[in-house]
């Protein structure tokens, strides 16, 4: 460091769900942290999140991801309680289990085969998901459409309010003495002595270590510190209905009722670059699918919609990386910022604080694409 003045032990670039959770966890371990946040003009996936804390079907082709997801889901109850007690803001986390509705015999066979492949992914702790027939589904969720023939239920699934989660994490950063820099879009990164310098339009910030959690911004920032960030955008759109009395006792892969009473409808996948525009054909398609699952939705008014851009790698799994050229530099990239928030604030923050990724997450290195 050229002036022997380390602003913080760690600079976290990105104040969305990923960056805020890691920063909150680092502060819990006694480190000083500065969060540089581009602000609400950023292409922020956190504000478009569906809000699932989801385990079933995650990691079918990478069991390390299945175990990492399950670990985070298991940490979520204590994480949510701790966050609410400290900040006074509850992320509205609930864990009633989750459902995946099945509308065809082909899908039933595919999901059943997936359960068989993953039944022992967590060893004696089990996969946690099971197939339900239509009678069993009707006992859990009355009012299903006639096209729903079966379902997959997982007791480890749940949901939360992403906006309250982000607000709570930001309040927690302040209460724990973290330094938050809004409108702090990072333009350049460089080594400065034993640490790092991040330069924004408002000035430079120094840190002993640096964590890049800037979503798609990591693709530009990473190479400045020898970090390849192989991610791409994928748009998803969400519809939100008016508030209604309780209809859905648990979240599903396409529907969930929020703590405020609205019904969120989602699960579209579009390759439209970084566009976040809502388009009528896609909105109509996801609404029609949701009504096939749960016909009562056709009587509700849609009050808003939005599009958001997921952060995906080629195989859909996270990319966590330590720089080999710049010791102390990390990049964290994933699209499940809510599900993984507890793992990011807990074990991942601890690994960064200790300076070494543990074997359980080294599978998320981008080196896995070298032989693709």
């Amino acid at each position: 460091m050229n002036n022997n003045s380390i602003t913080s032990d760690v600079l976290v670039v990105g104040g969305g769900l990923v960056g805020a959770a890691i920063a909150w966890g680092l502060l819990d371990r006694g480190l000083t942290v500065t969060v540089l946040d581009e602000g609400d003009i950023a292409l922020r996936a956190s504000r478009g999140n569906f809000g699932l804390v989801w385990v079933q079907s995650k990691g079918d082709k990478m069991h390390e991801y299945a175990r990492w997801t399950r670990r985070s889901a298991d940490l979520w109850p204590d994480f949510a309680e701790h966050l609410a007690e400290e900040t006074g803001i509850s992320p509205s986390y609930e864990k009633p289990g989750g459902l995946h509705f099945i509308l065809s015999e082909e899908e039933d066979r595919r999901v059943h085969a997936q359960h068989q492949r993953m039944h022992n992914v967590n060893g004696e702790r089990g996969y946690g998901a099971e197939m339900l027939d239509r009678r069993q589904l009707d006992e859990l969720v009355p009012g299903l459409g006639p096209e729903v023939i079966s379902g997959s239920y997982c007791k480890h699934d749940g949901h939360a309010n992403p906006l309250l989660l982000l607000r709570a994490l930001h309040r927690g950063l302040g209460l724990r003495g973290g330094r938050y820099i809004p409108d702090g879009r990072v333009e350049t990164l460089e080594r400065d002595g034993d640490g790092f310098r991040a330069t924004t339009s408002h000035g430079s910030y120094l840190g002993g270590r640096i964590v890049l959690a800037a979503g798609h911004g990591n693709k530009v920032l990473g190479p400045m510190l020898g970090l390849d960030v192989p991610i791409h955008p994928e748009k998803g759109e969400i519809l939100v209905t008016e508030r209604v009395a309780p209809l859905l006792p648990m979240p599903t892969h396409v529907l969930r009722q929020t703590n405020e009473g609205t019904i969120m409808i989602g699960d579209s996948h579009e390759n439209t670059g970084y566009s976040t525009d809502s388009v009528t054909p896609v909105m109509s398609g996801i609404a029609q699918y949701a009504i096939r699952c749960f016909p009562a939705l056709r009587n509700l008014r849609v009050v808003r919609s939005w599009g958001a851009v997921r952060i995906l790698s080629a195989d859909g799994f996270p990319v966590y990386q330590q720089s080999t050229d710049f010791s102390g530099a990390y990049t964290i990239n994933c699209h499940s910022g809510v599900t993984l928030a507890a793992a990011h604030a807990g074990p991942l923050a601890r690994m960064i604080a200790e300076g070494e990724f543990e074997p359980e997450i080294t599978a998320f290195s981008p080196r896995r694409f070298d032989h693709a």
Side-chain angles (χ1 to χ4, degrees):
M1 203 68 64
N2 58 8
N3 59 1
N4 295 320
S5 175
I6 299 177
T7 301
S8 299
D9 294 321
V10 186
L11 292 178
V12 175
V13 180
L17 285 172
V18 174
I22 293 171
W24 189 72
L26 291 170
L27 288 161
D28 193 41
R29 286 156 179 81
L31 299 176
T32 57
V33 178
T34 296
V35 176
L36 302 173
D37 192 10
E38 186 176 359
D40 289 340
I41 61 171
L43 194 66
R44 198 195 288 285
S46 300
R47 295 195 185 280
N49 200 294
F50 195 60
L52 296 178
V53 180
W54 208 246
V55 172
Q56 63 173 303
S57 77
K58 295 283 189 74
D60 186 9
K61 296 181 180 178
M62 181 187 273
H63 288 180
E64 293 89 346
Y65 182 52
R67 290 188 282 274
W68 184 237
T69 298
R70 171 68 181 280
R71 185 175 182 182
S72 191
D74 289 346
L75 291 169
W76 246 99
D78 287 342
F79 169 65
E81 182 179 358
H82 190 173
L83 195 58
E85 288 179 352
E86 178 177 305
T87 67
I89 301 172
S90 169
S92 293
Y93 170 69
E94 296 179 356
K95 190 177 183 178
L99 281 171
H100 177 117
F101 296 137
I102 295 174
L103 278 63
S104 70
E105 295 292 344
E106 179 182 357
E107 187 179 15
D108 183 275
R109 288 191 292 272
R110 179 182 63 76
V111 176
H112 186 73
Q114 183 183 66
H115 283 201
Q116 291 180 318
R117 289 193 300 272
M118 299 183 69
H119 79 284
N120 198 35
V121 68
N122 293 305
E124 295 181 353
R125 298 166 66 224
Y127 174 43
E130 59 182 311
M131 298 297 293
L132 301 182
D133 60 27
R134 177 58 195 251
R135 180 188 59 80
Q136 292 171 305
L137 279 179
D138 286 333
E139 292 176 355
L140 285 177
V141 186
L144 293 177
E147 294 182 74
V148 178
I149 64 171
S150 62
S152 170
Y153 169 78
C154 180
K155 61 184 178 183
H156 302 297
D157 292 334
H159 58 157
N161 184 316
L163 299 182
L164 290 176
L165 172 61
L166 184 61
R167 185 180 170 196
L169 287 169
H170 276 230
R171 179 172 289 181
L173 293 179
L175 293 171
R176 290 183 171 186
R179 187 180 185 191
Y180 175 77
I181 308 298
D183 301 322
R185 183 176 186 272
V186 173
E187 298 174 345
T188 62
L189 297 169
E190 59 187 326
R191 175 69 88 180
D192 190 319
D194 294 331
F196 299 91
R197 175 183 296 275
T199 300
T200 74
S201 59
H202 305 302
S204 295
Y205 300 86
L206 307 178
R209 300 175 197 172
I210 189 163
V211 178
L212 303 185
H216 288 289
N218 283 352
K219 199 171 180 63
V220 174
L221 298 173
M224 298 180 192
L225 298 176
L227 293 161
D228 177 34
V229 185
I231 56 174
H232 65 271
E234 181 192 83
K235 185 171 72 177
E237 298 187 39
I238 290 175
L239 307 178
V240 182
T241 74
E242 61 185 316
R243 297 179 185 184
V244 293
L247 281 176
L248 294 169
M250 63 185 67
T252 81
H253 68 301
V254 293
L255 301 168
R256 78 176 190 91
Q257 188 161 21
T258 70
N259 60 302
E260 298 164 330
T262 59
I263 306 289
M264 296 181 71
I265 307 170
D267 200 33
S268 64
H269 304 267
E270 302 165 65
N271 180 14
T272 55
Y274 295 104
S275 168
T276 59
D277 292 342
S278 295
V279 294
T280 302
V282 173
M283 290 191 291
S284 176
I286 61 177
Q288 290 173 9
Y289 184 85
I291 290 171
R292 291 171 65 194
C293 295
F294 203 71
L297 295 177
R298 66 163 53 96
N299 301 317
L300 302 183
R301 291 177 297 178
V302 173
V303 296
R304 62 182 181 276
S305 69
W306 65 79
V309 180
R310 298 182 180 92
I311 298 156
L312 289 180
S313 64
D315 57 14
F317 303 121
V319 173
Y320 298 166
Q321 187 183 14
Q322 293 177 273
S323 177
T324 54
D325 297 329
F326 295 81
S327 177
Y330 305 82
T331 181
I332 308 299
N333 311 270
C334 68
H335 72 282
S336 296
V338 173
T339 296
L340 295 178
H344 288 164
L348 183 63
R350 175 178 52 76
M351 293 178 211
I352 293 172
E354 295 173 354
E356 191 66 36
F357 282 170
E358 295 176 353
E360 67 176 315
I361 66 165
T362 55
F364 304 137
S365 165
R367 289 194 296 274
R368 68 183 186 269
F369 301 118
D370 290 348
H371 304 293

